[in-house]
Amino acid sequence: LILQDWKQQYPERALPTNALLKTLLAHNAVDLGNRGPDYQYGYGSVRALDTIEFLRSGNHAEDSIRQGEERYYGVYVAAGTLELKVTVAWDDPPGMPNVIPELVNDIDIQAIEPGSNKAHYPWTLEPESPFSSAAQFGPGHINNIEQVCVTYPQPGMGLLTVVGYSIP
């Protein structure tokens, strides 16, 4: 259904990439279990209709980034917004066997809140403690999907930063 709607919305474009589909599905999933992603439910229960409605809103983008490059995107936060959520994902080639971390390309995102300039980081999980809740304390360097959630963000023009932290 999502691909069918994509073809109707964007007849001149190719089908969405795996990374964009992963981003859309995780972004619009209904969170289950602990707040944020977890090892039992991932990002939650997929909602195709919510994903299609989000797709139709046009509030998504696909881009590329190189090693050391920084990209900035403005995001308007309306007064009364309950949550600002930003999700980014990318296809990553297989890592070297028995090498930790396995992540080959590391892209980092953060949201800078309007007014306060407070940085908000993506959810991260601790592999050594799989039952612990996800935290948002700094950049994530172990997954090829990152999601920043800001509860009750300040209204105004915020900033999203995307950094090519380690891209061979």
Side-chain angles (χ1 to χ4, degrees):
L1 293 175
I2 295 168
L3 294 178
Q4 180 180 342
D5 202 75
W6 176 275
K7 287 180 181 181
Q8 289 176 345
Q9 296 298 313
Y10 308 104
E12 72 288 349
R13 292 174 61 183
L15 289 176
T17 62
N18 294 336
L20 181 55
L21 280 173
K22 180 178 180 176
T23 302
L24 292 169
L25 291 169
H27 186 81
N28 294 288
V30 172
D31 195 14
L32 299 173
N34 296 334
R35 180 156 157 68
D38 57 54
Y39 289 112
Q40 184 173 6
Y41 298 104
Y43 281 87
S45 178
V46 170
R47 295 292 189 253
L49 183 57
D50 292 348
T51 300
I52 289 169
E53 288 174 356
F54 183 79
L55 183 66
R56 289 177 180 174
S57 76
N59 287 328
H60 57 86
E62 194 166 17
D63 209 342
S64 62
I65 195 163
R66 294 189 173 118
Q67 168 63 30
E69 189 176 15
E70 295 182 15
R71 297 278 179 103
Y72 303 95
Y73 303 90
V75 60
Y76 178 74
V77 179
T81 298
L82 301 179
E83 181 180 62
L84 170 65
K85 182 166 44 171
V86 181
T87 309
V88 63
W90 60 96
D91 290 334
D92 206 49
M96 295 296 294
N98 301 319
V99 174
I100 296 177
E102 307 91 54
L103 192 63
V104 175
N105 295 301
D106 188 356
I107 298 170
D108 292 330
I109 64 168
Q110 66 176 326
I112 309 298
E113 197 166 354
S116 70
N117 290 326
K118 180 179 177 186
H120 295 272
Y121 295 98
W123 294 110
T124 54
L125 291 167
E126 179 52 57
E128 303 299 322
S129 181
F131 297 105
S132 297
S133 295
Q136 295 177 279
F137 56 83
H141 296 296
I142 61 173
N143 296 304
N144 67 335
I145 183 168
E146 293 191 1
Q147 185 178 82
V148 175
C149 291
V150 181
T151 306
Y152 305 115
Q154 294 294 316
M157 185 57 75
L159 184 67
L160 305 174
T161 64
V162 181
V163 177
Y165 179 77
S166 178
I167 303 178

